[in-house]
Amino acid sequence: MTAKIIDGKAIAKKLRAEYHSRVDVLRSRHNVTPALAVILVGDNPASQSYVRNKIAGCKEVGIRSELVELPASTTEEQVLDHIERLNNDVTVHGILVQLPLPAHIRVSSVLEKISVEKDVDGFHLYNMGGLVTGNTVFSPCTPYGVQKILEHENIRVEGQNVVVVGASNIVGKPTALMLMQQDATVVICHKKTRDLGHFTLLADILVVAAGVPNLIVPQIVKTGAVVIDVGFNRLPDGRIVGDVDFEGVKEKASYITPVPGGVGQMTVTMLLHNTILSAERAATATTSPFRRRA
């Protein structure tokens, strides 16, 4: 068996074309242009690269972007003041604070300051808690991207055994909760899980977001499993790899995402989706801001 390699870039391109059409409708019917504000504190090269990708994505689908660049010495209070200004700006539909932040700024304070209706990253406590009941305003972008990949490939989730390797608040936990909402049976593994292979061998769908290169090898993957690799690791020689031994596992799985070119392509795409959705809600004012709509 050789797995079908899921082309995240192609899926993202298709979705972005659809999103561009939604932006056109907002402009023609409501005279509204979706807008995303990104706050970048400090000069972390990786963060700067991520922000450039997000701004480029905005341009591709017709979203207006506003970049607020602040020095690393910026105080927490100053960051909160910028967020408050953007919360009150009716022309801004999404607010994103690029992580990580300098050590003297509390991430929790920053994320809680962002208006729930503009939390397009899906990290506000309301949105994270809403995953338990399936009633979020916005779903976190990477888990939402995983869900969209499964939908696009017509991979059944209901009734399947799903194992999520990685228990972060950003990817692992929300991914598990979102797939539970689709009636999957979900197990979460993490860095203290003993006998990892005992669990992964049961997985019909295996989602890996542990941040450990080549953690998942063929011997611990069920034949025919769907393998979604969320990992993104830079090796000493400069190569980018995921958490899965791609070459080995692709000969055993039924579907597999590559790194790069898989889930990473979807994260920014879902950010664009959430921003457009926020603008649509603001324009029509008919949908409760505390009820998620696909």
Side-chain angles (χ1 to χ4, degrees):
M1 173 181 290
T2 299
K4 176 183 177 181
I5 299 174
I6 299 174
D7 189 343
K9 185 175 182 179
I11 300 172
K13 183 178 180 180
K14 178 182 177 182
L15 290 173
R16 292 186 188 196
E18 295 174 5
Y19 299 162
H20 201 303
S21 297
R22 288 168 63 177
V23 172
D24 290 341
V25 170
L26 276 167
R27 285 176 175 161
S28 62
R29 293 185 184 176
H30 304 284
N31 195 30
V32 170
T33 298
L36 173 68
V38 180
I39 297 176
L40 176 62
V41 185
D43 54 2
N44 182 301
S47 293
Q48 290 172 334
S49 176
Y50 294 146
V51 167
R52 283 195 298 270
N53 289 337
K54 290 167 184 175
I55 290 175
C58 287
K59 184 177 180 180
E60 180 181 346
V61 302
I63 294 174
R64 178 177 68 83
S65 61
E66 176 183 340
L67 175 58
V68 180
E69 294 185 276
L70 304 172
S73 60
T74 302
T75 66
E76 180 179 306
E77 184 178 359
Q78 288 171 326
V79 174
L80 298 180
D81 286 344
H82 279 284
I83 295 172
E84 182 65 18
R85 173 183 66 81
L86 294 168
N87 281 340
N88 294 326
D89 186 342
V90 295
T91 68
V92 171
H93 305 99
I95 302 170
L96 181 154
V97 177
Q98 183 64 46
L99 302 179
L101 290 167
H104 64 279
I105 300 175
R106 292 172 298 173
V107 173
S108 59
S109 295
V110 168
L111 296 182
E112 291 171 27
K113 184 69 173 178
I114 298 172
S115 167
V116 175
E117 294 89 346
K118 298 186 179 186
D119 173 40
V120 291
D121 239 353
F123 292 159
H124 190 282
L125 281 177
Y126 181 95
N127 281 318
M128 295 298 288
L131 290 169
V132 176
T133 61
N135 194 33
T136 58
V137 180
F138 300 108
S139 295
C141 297
T142 298
Y144 199 10
V146 171
Q147 180 179 315
K148 283 293 184 182
I149 284 174
L150 295 173
E151 288 178 8
H152 182 273
E153 298 298 323
N154 295 313
I155 295 169
R156 183 168 65 92
V157 173
E158 180 182 1
Q160 298 298 288
N161 291 333
V162 174
V163 175
V164 178
V165 181
S168 72
N169 292 334
I170 294 175
V171 180
K173 292 176 186 175
T175 297
L177 289 167
M178 291 174 71
L179 296 178
M180 283 177 64
Q181 286 294 328
Q182 295 180 262
D183 293 323
T185 300
V186 180
V187 172
I188 302 178
C189 299
H190 46 77
K191 62 184 179 182
K192 294 189 178 180
T193 298
R194 291 176 296 153
D195 301 321
L196 179 63
H198 175 75
F199 298 96
T200 58
L201 279 168
L202 298 175
D204 302 306
I205 301 173
L206 178 61
V207 181
V208 192
V212 179
N214 297 319
L215 174 67
I216 303 300
V217 293
Q219 295 92 321
I220 62 171
V221 176
K222 177 181 177 181
T223 300
V226 175
V227 180
I228 308 296
D229 190 353
V230 189
F232 188 88
N233 309 288
R234 189 179 297 276
L235 299 181
D237 62 8
R239 287 185 297 129
I240 301 296
V241 299
D243 292 350
V244 176
D245 171 11
F246 180 80
E247 293 300 325
V249 172
K250 75 176 183 180
E251 300 302 323
K252 196 172 184 182
S254 58
Y255 292 82
I256 191 170
T257 58
V259 178
V263 177
Q265 297 288 329
M266 296 295 291
T267 299
V268 174
T269 301
M270 304 326 297
L271 173 67
L272 304 177
H273 167 274
N274 285 349
T275 303
I276 295 167
L277 178 57
S278 179
E280 289 170 339
R281 288 174 172 152
T284 60
T286 58
T287 302
S288 166
F290 293 97
R291 187 173 297 278
R292 180 181 172 273
R293 187 178 72 219

